Amino acid sequence: MKVVLTGAAGVIGTAVREHLGNKYDFVSITRRPADFSDVVADVNDFDAIRPAFDGADAVVHLAASISVDSPWDAVLHDNLIGTYNVYEAARQAGLSCIVFASSNHTIGGYEMDGAPRIYELDDPRVYDHNAEIRPDSLYGVSKVYGEALGRYYHETYGLRVYNLRIGSVRGDDDPTAASVKDGSFWLDLTAEQKYDRMRSTWLSQRDCAELIACCLEATTVPWATVYGISDNPRQFWDLEHARRLLGYAPKDGAPESV
Amino acid sequence: MKVVLTGAAGVIGTAVREHLGNKYDFVSITRRPADFSDVVADVNDFDAIRPAFDGADAVVHLAASISVDSPWDAVLHDNLIGTYNVYEAARQAGLSCIVFASSNHTIGGYEMDGAPRIYELDDPRVYDHNAEIRPDSLYGVSKVYGEALGRYYHETYGLRVYNLRIGSVRGDDDPTAASVKDGSFWLDLTAEQKYDRMRSTWLSQRDCAELIACCLEATTVPWATVYGISDNPRQFWDLEHARRLLGYAPKDGAPESV
């Protein structure tokens, strides 16, 4: 299966190439040159990315401004325009499948209301794919849009489309690493609360790759929106829908404490 | 109450000015000069529209590419960028309320599946605000995005926001007029079926204005997504939520047949 991979140089793109490189023939699109790049182009440039889709079967669309704090200009060009360009290129080239890196920030409002209590092991709240959308950011709005665009391309043109509301995939793949407790965050949490969040939201690199592979193989499931986390000790986003619908079986899980 | 009105020259904008002009102090934004224009500007130009919001209390955002067949460039500039500009201008100027002309095309997939049977008087199907979104067009996708953007502005900045999934408002205000049976249509329907659709989807001009006024006055309802139709003999979009939540009481209704 020939699979276009946008955002191939990112944390998830790198995990996909490493874990699935032997299984699929990837066409890697990167914005800046890399030794594995097949096409160097920005997804907001339709003409530049369009040729990469010829002869492909599927696209894994990861390219985006990924910060929850992304300003409007970045959201507009990278996420709104970029996602349209990728889906339209997929349609024109006759691809049959889109896997989209959506985000939990499509429904971040529930977490904004629930934090920090929602991170605790005995909190019962779980939000699934039927939860009313509550984007917490322009970034989250752009992912709601991407999901809706995928629905349109699925219903109108018949492509299989999978919206993955991905949790926290880390470059170091370590949910307990010190950097969890550093850096900017859109919620005002203590260091301990930041880890408590990570033990709910972590998605290991191999589980992320596995979830994407489940979608590429799900020829009998034409449409799905699911959450992507590992088998963590606290889960406030539903995993059962991905397990049942796509056969996703996470192998990893964050520890209960650091 | 001082109310910014985008798309003030359109069919709905004209109805709003005519039916509510004595009740509210409108600041009319039009793309082309008109004798009632307060500001002549395109909503895709943030700097041009921003001053119109100073001192206003609310905005009724109607400006858009309104055809279900709108191509990507129009959807991008008029609907995606334009709606962000309007909401951001409203936030910066401290407005407390947004009324958004969303569309039934956010869930058009149900109608695509159900037509023409769904138009018949004895068909039981009704879709409400909880229906999973199924946009039937890029236009419909842009309205899903506008609703999500409104949700974000409501939750993050506290503005009251109302998404009106408007049915069919006509320039001649006559659901039985011959032109119902003419022109382009995104579904392949006979002339009779086109009228059968209209007797479900019609929204009279005064009912439309009344629904918008209900939103402007709904200070105890901070957020709503409702459908906008008159009291028609067949209704496959729910009216009860607008009645109960906003006190919407339509005065008109399409006849059962022409």
Side-chain angles (χ1 to χ4, degrees):
Chain A
M1 194 186 289
K2 189 172 171 183
V3 180
V4 177
L5 183 65
T6 75
V11 168
I12 296 176
T14 301
V16 166
R17 287 183 294 107
E18 288 182 359
H19 289 272
L20 303 177
N22 292 331
K23 193 167 182 179
Y24 302 107
D25 175 18
F26 287 113
V27 181
S28 290
I29 301 180
T30 63
R31 189 163 49 176
R32 284 178 287 273
D35 56 8
F36 58 86
S37 300
D38 295 298
V39 176
V40 178
D42 193 309
V43 291
N44 73 33
D45 183 346
F46 180 81
D47 293 336
I49 65 167
R50 171 65 185 81
F53 290 73
D54 284 326
D57 302 292
V59 58
V60 175
H61 176 40
L62 307 174
S65 277
I66 62 169
S67 168
V68 69
D69 299 319
S70 299
W72 167 247
D73 279 351
V75 166
L76 171 62
H77 290 97
D78 300 337
N79 300 13
L80 301 182
I81 297 173
T83 300
Y84 169 77
N85 286 346
V86 167
Y87 290 13
E88 179 61 13
R91 180 191 74 80
Q92 289 186 12
L95 275 62
S96 62
C97 177
I98 292 170
V99 181
F100 174 52
S102 184
S103 171
N104 64 81
H105 292 283
T106 52
I107 62 153
Y110 300 99
E111 183 180 349
M112 299 286 277
D113 287 350
R117 181 71 183 86
I118 198 171
Y119 305 131
E120 294 183 23
L121 294 171
D122 63 348
D123 191 277
R125 284 169 281 192
V126 182
Y127 300 96
D128 73 7
H129 56 288
N130 292 314
E132 190 176 355
I133 64 103
R134 292 182 61 188
D136 55 22
S137 53
L138 293 175
Y139 169 77
V141 171
S142 77
K143 295 301 184 179
V144 174
Y145 154 90
E147 292 185 359
L149 192 68
R151 184 82 190 217
Y152 166 66
Y153 273 87
H154 164 61
E155 297 217 15
T156 306
Y157 301 113
L159 288 83
R160 295 188 287 126
V161 178
Y162 308 93
N163 297 318
L164 308 184
R165 292 179 175 175
I166 291 171
S168 307
V169 181
R170 298 174 53 81
D172 60 16
D173 212 19
D174 179 359
T176 71
S179 61
V180 172
K181 300 178 178 176
D182 301 334
S184 68
F185 209 73
W186 87 109
L187 279 168
D188 185 24
L189 300 176
T190 66
E192 283 66 29
Q193 289 165 348
K194 286 180 185 177
Y195 179 71
D196 290 349
R197 178 176 198 268
M198 186 59 65
R199 75 178 170 193
S200 288
T201 66
W202 186 53
L203 177 61
S204 75
Q205 294 187 8
R206 68 172 176 172
D207 283 345
C208 184
E210 162 69 10
L211 178 58
I212 288 169
C214 286
C215 296
L216 292 171
E217 303 295 330
T219 51
T220 61
V221 182
W223 160 264
T225 296
V226 301
Y227 295 87
I229 54 175
S230 286
D231 191 14
N232 296 328
R234 167 77 182 112
Q235 302 176 9
F236 57 85
W237 302 316
D238 171 72
L239 254 184
E240 290 312 302
H241 195 54
R243 288 183 192 271
R244 274 197 304 265
L245 204 63
L246 302 172
Y248 170 57
K251 295 191 175 89
D252 300 305
E256 288 199 6
S257 60
V258 285
Chain B
M1 193 186 291
K2 188 172 170 182
V3 180
V4 177
L5 183 65
T6 76
V11 169
I12 296 176
T14 301
V16 166
R17 288 183 294 107
E18 288 182 358
H19 289 272
L20 302 178
N22 292 331
K23 195 168 181 182
Y24 302 106
D25 175 17
F26 286 112
V27 180
S28 290
I29 301 179
T30 61
R31 188 162 50 177
R32 284 179 285 272
D35 56 9
F36 58 85
S37 301
D38 295 297
V39 175
V40 178
D42 194 308
V43 291
N44 73 32
D45 183 345
F46 181 81
D47 293 337
I49 65 167
R50 173 65 185 80
F53 289 73
D54 284 327
D57 302 291
V59 58
V60 175
H61 177 39
L62 307 174
S65 276
I66 61 170
S67 168
V68 70
D69 298 318
S70 298
W72 167 246
D73 279 351
V75 165
L76 171 63
H77 290 98
D78 300 338
N79 300 13
L80 300 182
I81 296 173
T83 299
Y84 170 78
N85 287 345
V86 167
Y87 290 13
E88 180 60 14
R91 180 191 75 79
Q92 288 187 12
L95 275 61
S96 63
C97 176
I98 293 170
V99 182
F100 174 51
S102 184
S103 171
N104 65 80
H105 292 283
T106 51
I107 63 152
Y110 300 99
E111 182 178 350
M112 299 286 277
D113 287 349
R117 181 72 184 87
I118 197 171
Y119 305 131
E120 294 183 23
L121 293 171
D122 63 349
D123 190 277
R125 284 169 282 192
V126 182
Y127 300 95
D128 73 6
H129 56 289
N130 293 314
E132 189 177 359
I133 65 104
R134 292 182 61 189
D136 56 23
S137 52
L138 293 176
Y139 168 78
V141 171
S142 77
K143 294 301 184 179
V144 174
Y145 154 91
E147 292 186 358
L149 192 68
R151 184 82 190 218
Y152 166 67
Y153 272 87
H154 164 61
E155 297 218 14
T156 306
Y157 301 113
L159 288 83
R160 295 188 284 126
V161 178
Y162 308 93
N163 297 318
L164 308 184
R165 292 179 175 174
I166 291 172
S168 306
V169 181
R170 298 176 51 82
D172 61 15
D173 212 18
D174 179 359
T176 70
S179 60
V180 171
K181 301 179 178 174
D182 301 335
S184 68
F185 210 72
W186 87 109
L187 278 168
D188 185 25
L189 301 175
T190 67
E192 284 67 31
Q193 289 164 346
K194 287 180 185 177
Y195 179 72
D196 290 348
R197 178 175 198 268
M198 186 60 65
R199 75 178 169 192
S200 288
T201 66
W202 186 54
L203 176 61
S204 75
Q205 294 188 8
R206 67 173 177 172
D207 284 344
C208 184
E210 162 70 9
L211 178 57
I212 289 168
C214 286
C215 296
L216 291 170
E217 303 295 329
T219 51
T220 62
V221 181
W223 161 265
T225 297
V226 301
Y227 295 87
I229 54 175
S230 285
D231 191 14
N232 296 329
R234 167 75 181 116
Q235 301 174 11
F236 57 87
W237 303 316
D238 171 73
L239 253 184
E240 290 312 301
H241 194 56
R243 287 184 193 269
R244 274 197 303 264
L245 204 65
L246 303 171
Y248 171 57
K251 296 192 175 87
D252 299 306
E256 289 198 7
S257 61
V258 286

